[in-house]
Amino acid sequence: MRPTTLAASCIALCSAPALAQPFSIDFFTIDGGGGTSSGGGFTLSGTIGQPDAGTLTGGGFTLTGGFWGVAAADGPCNAADLVPPFGITDLGDIDAFIAAFLVAGPAADLVPPFGIVDLGDIDAFIAAFLAGCP
């Protein structure tokens, strides 16, 4: 047997068991903890993990918490982001634009001449929709 063939055979035999190793990703959560922070007339109380996942409201403020999501946007990210969930352009935004366009509503009047809903507004909506949210 040639030395290169022997070396290649040894490498193949030694590396084969490494490919067969089982993989595992265990799931862990941190439940509890947290505390209260305050300043400037505001107070924020919270915990880490499952106990307070969801929406907390009070005093005209809303705090949304949860897992494995993207940060919620405060409002529309562009002219095509017409309805919640804000920060994402989706089919709901298309439906809202069509409904506004059919009645010449202000939500569909995106470019001059303002006061007239026309094909320019459709082009502007499509461009904003395709640009998406940052």
Side-chain angles (χ1 to χ4, degrees):
M1 187 179 272
R2 296 176 30 200
T4 55
T5 306
L6 179 61
S9 297
C10 287
I11 291 172
L13 289 174
C14 292
S15 64
L19 297 175
Q21 298 299 316
F23 293 98
S24 173
I25 298 176
D26 296 325
F27 179 81
F28 295 98
T29 63
I30 300 172
D31 300 329
T36 300
S37 298
S38 62
F42 296 96
T43 301
L44 174 65
S45 298
T47 63
I48 299 171
Q50 296 171 345
D52 285 333
T55 301
L56 306 171
T57 59
F61 296 97
T62 301
L63 175 67
T64 303
F67 311 98
W68 309 107
V70 295
D74 291 338
C77 67
N78 65 30
D81 193 10
L82 298 174
V83 296
F86 293 120
I88 243 175
T89 50
D90 58 14
L91 293 176
D93 298 308
I94 294 172
D95 288 342
F97 178 78
I98 292 170
F101 187 85
L102 292 175
V103 296
D109 195 8
L110 304 178
V111 295
F114 293 111
I116 298 173
V117 178
D118 59 13
L119 294 177
D121 297 306
I122 293 175
D123 289 340
F125 175 81
I126 291 171
F129 186 87
L130 293 176
C133 294

